[in-house]
Every structure is written in C-alpha cells, then in structure tokens.
C-alpha cells in the first residue's frame, strides 16, 4: 500500500468504522474516537513497547515477539528465520525483543534487539545485523539490549548493556564509545528510553532520577537522584520523561507529573486528577498542539494542557468493553497525524483520535435510516475526500459527490 493509501485508509477508519467508540474526556471537554488493534487483527504479541511511523506512512511496532509493520489494515511480521542447523539465516532480523526503532535519511530502519543493532534495507527488503562488542572489543553472543534513539544524516546513537553509550557512523561503519559507564537501567519492566535534544545533550534514566550527558564536555549531571553529586531535586524514581522545545524536562513519577526547569533549578509537581492522586506515569509524549499525553498504571490515558495546567482523561474503547483505566498503559506514541497510540498491555493497542469530527450520522447503520436527508451520504462506498476549507469537506462516493459542513454535520451540496 502506498503512503497515500495508508493515509486514506486511516482517515476512513476514523470516520466510518461503526465499531469504534466515541468518548468524552474530563476537565477539558475534548471528544475522541477510540478503537482497538490487537492480536486478532494480526499483531504478533499484545505488549507493544516501541512504535515508529515512518516516512512512507507505515507504523512499525516493536513487541516481545518480533517486529510488526502495520499499514492501517494488514500486518507484516518480521522474526528471525532459522536454518536447518538452527542458525539465523542471512537477511533475517536477529532477535525477537524489540528495544528501539529509528529511521535514517535513506528510509532504512535501525532496530535494536537483544542480539544487537539491525538495519532494515527497505529497497532490498532484508536485514543486516551489527553485533555489539564487549568492552575489550570482542564480539559477544550473549544477550545485550541495544536501544537506538537518535539519528541524523550520518550518525546513530544507541545505548547497550555491553558497550554503553555509543555513536555509530553508519556511512563509514565506524563506532565511537561515548561513555562506557552508561547503560540501560536494569529494571526490565521499565523502558530504558534516552533522548538527544537539539542542543546536543543526551538525557537518560538512572536507578533514581535522571542523567544529562554532554558529549562534547563529557560532563554527566544528576537530577532527582540519590547520587552523591546530585545537582537538584529530592530522590525520585522517574518512570518516563520528555524534554520539550523550551528545554523543560517533564518527568513521570510514581506520585505525579513534574515540570523541571533545570536551567533555573526549579520544579512544580502536578499530582491529582479530579482531586484524586495520579498513579505512576509510565510513558510521556507530546502532540502537535503541545499537550502532554500520559500512560499510567491505574488511570489509563491522561493528557495535560501545559497552558491551563489542567488534566483530561480518556475513557473506554466502546460499549461493553473494559475502560482504559483497567490497563497498565506502558507506552504512548503520537504519529505525524496526531493519532495517539497507547499500549494496553497485554491487549494490544488503543488508537485514539483527538478532536475528531462526530460523524455518527454518516455511519451506515440502523440509526442512519431515521436521520434527515441532509445527514445522510448518497452512498456509503467512499472513494475519496478533500477538505476545501474549514466548512466544506468534499466526499466522493460511488453515487456522486457530497459536500459536508463539519460544523453542523450536514450535507450542504
């Protein structure tokens, strides 16, 4: 499926699928469309810890049972292919536990697993594996989590159990160990994410608090840590973090959301939703509007408006299904269209479309038969659509063209 085809399919799913649910958030009054993608749809395993929407429009999902590519309708799965002697065949991915996914400027993907760093050559549809090394420079066959998290035109940065923090020139195939003493956290149920900011700083998890590493000066700063050189903040276990465009660090902890301005050495904590304490925040992401999205232990999916400093909450998928708060949401990812993907571990993914149009009258079902004529499409086989302006959405159906005013949810032409 082409990128345009993926996009059109996603949009049609959001607008027309009769089994998806609508829900209203609290506090901020936003409407969402929510549906579910799981093992029954082709996902190999119900715990998705890493996600990436690539430049072709495919959503790549890293699970504990291989790599999945999703085009909005079908899954393609990548696992190691074994020969008769039990060895992994050439061109196959090595490792089944996916720890990180990034895309380079050529459109190739770099995937970290327990067996090293894999490059997916999109044109050849094959994988090459770059094995990690021990500190003495020897290659190792022992399990070593490899977590790629930053990439540019020439260089990739990853974190590994055996090598530490590594800068890899993937053009020249040259590797530089930036800090051999920095490794993923040992807690396997905690994502060992790392972030490189535009200023060049690298932020990482620690057993308590956060680390900020400067590759040029090799300076390592500790925050909210029990380390003897902690620069600021009381010791905290930080489950997740996000560094925004203003260089503010947002920390997800066991007792709330922390806004940390490390330059000014100040912080504020936001700890309640509807006067109730927030459960542990396992994942943080930001959308195009600057809202923070939170995956929590017991509160499902929350979002936080940084201007108003108010929380909202997303409820259930649909009628007669569990509420999102019944799942531990260990990963939140927001794609380029603003769609929020949440890992409802161990039950696959919730797909959340914020601020969507309410197209209840445009769905082909028994309720639609009782609606006025100006709230019905001429045909429910959709061939395409185009937004002319905010009040005119052109919908191409099998029987002709309808023009919809999204403000009133009525056909105007």
């Amino acid at each position: 499926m082409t990128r345009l085809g993926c996009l059109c399919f996603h949009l049609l799913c959001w607008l027309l699928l009769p089994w998806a649910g609508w829900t209203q958030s609290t506090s901020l009054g936003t409407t969402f469309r929510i549906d579910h993608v799981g093992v029954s749809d082709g996902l190999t395993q119900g715990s998705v810890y890493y996600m990436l929407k690539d430049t072709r429009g495919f959503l790549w999902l890293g699970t504990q049972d291989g790599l999945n590519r999703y085009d909005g309708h079908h899954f393609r799965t990548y696992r190691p292919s074994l020969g008769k002697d039990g060895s992994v065949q050439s061109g196959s991915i090595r490792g089944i536990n996916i720890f990180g996914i990034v895309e380079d400027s050529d459109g190739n993907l770099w995937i970290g697993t327990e067996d090293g760093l894999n490059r997916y050559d999109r044109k050849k549809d094959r994988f090459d594996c770059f094995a990690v090394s021990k500190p003495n420079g020897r290659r190792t066959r022992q399990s070593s989590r490899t977590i790629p998290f930053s990439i540019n035109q020439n260089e990739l940065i990853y974190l590994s159990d055996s090598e530490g923090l590594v800068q890899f020139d993937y053009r020249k195939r040259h590797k530089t160990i930036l800090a051999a003493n920095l490794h993923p956290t040992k807690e396997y149920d905690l994502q060992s994410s790392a972030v490189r900011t535009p200023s060049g700083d690298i932020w990482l998890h620690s057993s308590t608090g956060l680390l900020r590493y400067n590759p040029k000066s090799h300076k390592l700063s500790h925050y909210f840590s029990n380390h003897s050189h902690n620069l600021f903040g009381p010791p905290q276990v930080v489950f997740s973090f996000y560094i925004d465009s203003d260089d503010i660090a947002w920390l997800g902890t066991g007792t709330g959301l922390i806004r940390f301005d490390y330059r000014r050495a100040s912080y504020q904590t936001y700890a309640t939703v509807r006067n109730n304490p927030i459960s542990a925040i396992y994942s943080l992401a930001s959308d195009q509007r600057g809202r923070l999205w939170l995956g929590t232990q017991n509160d499902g999916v929350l979002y936080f408006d940084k201007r108003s400093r108010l929380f909202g909450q997303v409820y259930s998928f649909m009628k007669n299904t569990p509420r999102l708060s019944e799942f531990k949401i260990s990963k939140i990812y927001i794609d380029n269209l603003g769609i929020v993907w949440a890992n409802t571990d161990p039950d696959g993914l919730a797909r959340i479309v914020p601020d969507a149009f309410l197209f209840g009258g445009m769905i082909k079902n028994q309720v639609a038969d009782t609606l006025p004529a100006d709230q019905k499409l001429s045909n429910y086989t959709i061939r395409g659509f185009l937004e002319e302006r905010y009040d005119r959405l052109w919908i191409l159906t099998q029987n002709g063209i309808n023009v919809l005013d999204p403000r009133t949810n009525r056909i105007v032409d």
Side-chain angles (χ1 to χ4, degrees):
M1 184 179 289
T2 65
R3 182 182 179 186
L4 178 60
C6 290
L7 172 60
C8 288
F9 181 84
H10 277 303
L11 289 172
L12 287 172
C13 282
W14 307 332
L15 300 179
L16 300 175
L17 280 178
W19 49 272
W22 290 101
T23 187
Q24 190 81 9
S25 75
T26 62
S27 301
L28 298 179
T30 300
T31 302
F32 305 99
R33 184 176 180 86
I34 309 173
D35 54 23
H36 175 254
V37 179
V39 174
S40 62
D41 301 297
L43 187 65
T44 56
Q45 200 256 352
S47 298
V48 181
Y49 293 112
Y50 294 91
M51 308 179 214
L52 175 74
K53 180 83 167 289
D54 72 15
T55 54
R56 272 66 169 179
F58 294 107
L59 185 66
W60 295 81
L61 308 170
T63 74
Q64 295 176 329
D65 189 23
L67 180 68
N68 293 247
R69 191 188 76 180
Y70 184 49
D71 64 10
H73 186 51
H74 298 105
F75 281 93
R76 182 177 178 184
T77 301
Y78 300 87
R79 291 193 188 93
S81 296
L82 303 180
K84 293 182 179 179
D85 61 354
S87 63
V88 179
Q89 294 182 328
S90 176
S92 172
I93 191 172
R94 291 180 179 267
I96 60 171
N97 290 285
I98 309 301
F99 294 114
I101 312 169
V102 294
E103 181 181 14
D104 66 26
S105 57
D106 297 326
N108 299 317
L109 299 180
W110 295 82
I111 300 103
T113 71
E114 75 276 18
D115 284 346
L117 183 65
N118 292 267
R119 183 188 70 135
Y120 174 62
D121 188 321
R122 195 186 295 267
K123 291 182 179 179
K124 296 180 181 179
D125 190 29
R126 59 167 288 137
F127 292 86
D128 299 299
C129 187
F130 300 84
V132 299
S133 303
K134 293 181 179 179
N136 59 11
R138 297 179 180 178
R139 290 193 173 189
T140 176
R141 292 186 179 181
Q142 296 178 351
S143 176
S144 178
R145 290 173 298 169
T146 304
I147 307 171
F149 62 88
S150 176
I151 197 165
N152 59 24
Q153 294 286 340
N154 300 300
E155 294 175 336
L156 166 72
I157 299 180
Y158 67 85
L159 198 64
S160 86
D161 285 322
S162 59
E163 294 177 316
L165 183 64
V166 180
Q167 180 176 286
F168 178 52
D169 187 326
Y170 59 88
R171 303 287 186 189
K172 299 178 180 179
R173 300 291 193 265
H174 176 72
K175 191 182 294 185
T176 301
I177 305 297
L178 296 177
N181 61 325
L182 297 179
H183 301 278
T185 55
K186 296 186 181 299
E187 292 81 1
Y188 276 77
D189 59 344
L190 173 63
Q191 292 187 64
S192 297
S193 58
V195 171
R196 186 181 187 182
T197 66
S199 64
D201 286 340
I202 296 173
W203 291 75
L204 310 98
H205 280 287
S206 183
S207 55
T208 58
L210 284 181
L211 302 173
R212 181 170 64 91
Y213 176 75
N214 186 298
K216 293 182 179 180
S217 66
H218 302 288
K219 180 181 179 180
L220 186 64
S221 302
H222 298 259
Y223 304 104
F224 295 92
S225 172
N226 56 11
H227 193 276
S228 58
H229 292 154
N230 182 53
L231 292 179
F232 184 82
Q236 296 268 1
V237 175
V238 176
F239 294 106
S240 56
F241 66 91
Y242 171 75
I243 314 300
D244 69 18
S245 58
D246 296 322
D247 234 12
I248 301 297
W250 296 86
L251 317 182
T253 73
T255 56
L257 177 68
I258 294 177
R259 180 189 185 275
F260 173 43
D261 187 338
Y262 72 95
R263 298 186 188 278
R264 297 182 179 181
S266 65
Y267 77 100
Q268 298 84 38
T269 301
Y270 306 92
T272 60
V273 175
R274 302 189 311 277
N275 297 319
N276 294 317
I278 296 175
S279 60
I281 300 170
Y282 289 137
S283 184
L284 276 170
S286 179
D287 65 16
Q288 291 84 343
R289 292 177 52 182
R291 294 177 298 191
L292 293 176
W293 291 79
L294 291 63
T296 71
Q297 183 178 31
N298 297 318
D299 298 304
V301 176
L302 304 175
Y303 65 100
F304 180 77
D305 187 298
K306 291 193 288 185
R307 292 183 179 180
S308 66
R309 307 293 170 92
L310 292 176
F311 285 99
Q313 185 174 25
V314 183
Y315 286 122
S316 59
F317 291 111
M318 61 197 92
K319 294 181 178 179
N320 302 319
T321 60
R323 295 168 63 92
L324 285 177
S325 58
E326 295 182 34
F327 296 95
K328 180 179 74 172
I329 310 296
S330 55
K331 178 65 177 178
I332 292 283
Y333 176 76
I334 302 171
D335 67 22
N336 61 320
L337 298 176
I339 307 305
V340 180
W341 301 84
N343 174 19
T344 52
D345 192 7
D347 198 34
L349 293 171
R351 176 170 46 196
I352 305 168
V353 186
D355 309 313
F357 294 135
L358 286 169
F359 268 39
M362 299 296 109
I363 299 174
K364 185 179 181 181
N365 57 22
Q366 293 179 351
V367 177
D369 294 336
T370 65
L371 293 172
D374 63 358
Q375 287 188 278
K376 297 181 183 180
L377 293 174
S378 58
N379 190 278
Y380 290 91
T381 300
I382 308 299
R383 302 301 187 188
F385 47 87
L386 173 70
E387 184 180 26
E388 176 190 0
R389 58 194 194 203
Y390 70 94
D391 61 344
R392 289 175 67 86
L393 180 68
W394 293 66
I395 303 173
L396 176 62
T397 76
Q398 185 168 303
N399 288 350
I401 297 175
N402 298 148
V403 180
L404 176 80
D405 184 345
R407 300 172 304 170
T408 62
N409 200 33
R410 294 183 181 277
I411 302 297
V412 295
D413 196 1

